[in-house]
Amino acid sequence: MICVRPRPPGRGGVGPGRNLGTVSEIEIRERRFDAPESQALIRAALADLGQRYGGSGDETPVDAAEFAPPAGAFLVAYLDGRPVGCGGWRSHGEDGDTAELKRMYTAPAARGRGVARSVLAAVERSARDHGRKRIVLECGDRQPEAIAMYTSAGYEPIPNFGFYKDEPGCLSFGRTL
């Protein structure tokens, strides 16, 4: 289990009388991809994608076994004991050096509290600990907050890959771990 203390709300400077809100610890735990709390978050992620893009949200073939160590991992973030975010990685390509980031999601009520960045860092650490040297991801152009987070975390555009590589609006990113 990984514990992270996120930034308090109101990320600006600290001054007399400034209300910083309540700071809660984010706990990140490895879970099975097909565990109930994982699946609830994945369903919410797909519903969010469905609102942005239509349809089921993502038709990419995914097998729960792909997220089992040592070929992958799936992580769930808890805030105040409730599952509020997730993300995982699976092996990508033939070389065994690359991981693919999948199913990153933060529940709307937990956004802006450092959950996504904490999950991203934990996913990267897990992939690195399992011998991966690079991580790649695919997302769409209707996810500006995700794109901003990935680019600020050092991800750079790469040639499109995956299920949606030829679709308009597909964006792919990667970074060295």
Side-chain angles (χ1 to χ4, degrees):
M1 175 176 63
I2 301 165
C3 290
V4 178
R5 187 170 299 279
R7 283 186 285 191
R11 296 177 188 101
V14 176
R18 184 169 173 105
N19 180 1
L20 296 178
T22 302
V23 177
S24 300
E25 278 190 0
I26 299 168
E27 295 178 36
I28 300 175
R29 301 179 193 151
E30 190 170 312
R31 291 289 188 240
R32 290 176 49 97
F33 185 85
D34 55 3
E37 65 268 29
S38 302
Q39 286 298 300
L41 289 163
I42 291 167
R43 281 191 302 276
L46 294 175
D48 181 75
L49 292 172
Q51 287 182 326
R52 294 171 193 249
Y53 300 101
S56 68
D58 189 350
E59 299 293 328
T60 304
V62 174
D63 181 344
E66 296 173 313
F67 295 89
F74 196 76
L75 306 173
V76 173
Y78 297 82
L79 193 58
D80 298 325
R82 293 185 327 273
V84 296
C86 62
W89 67 271
R90 63 183 182 178
S91 294
H92 178 80
E94 305 289 322
D95 62 10
D97 287 345
T98 305
E100 179 186 7
L101 179 69
K102 291 298 292 176
R103 300 299 185 244
M104 279 288 296
Y105 176 72
T106 302
R111 292 179 185 164
R113 298 177 71 183
V115 173
R117 287 189 183 276
S118 298
V119 170
L120 181 62
V123 167
E124 291 172 343
R125 194 166 33 255
S126 172
R128 189 173 41 253
D129 289 349
H130 284 87
R132 301 316 183 271
K133 296 179 175 130
R134 182 163 178 73
I135 191 163
V136 297
L137 67 92
E138 170 189 48
C139 70
D141 61 358
R142 296 181 189 169
Q143 296 167 264
E145 60 285 303
I147 295 164
M149 180 185 69
Y150 296 136
T151 56
S152 73
Y155 285 77
E156 297 179 343
I158 61 171
N160 284 344
F161 70 93
F163 191 78
Y164 292 103
K165 70 181 177 185
D166 296 323
E167 294 294 322
C170 178
L171 302 170
S172 296
F173 298 89
R175 90 182 268 274
T176 301
L177 291 174

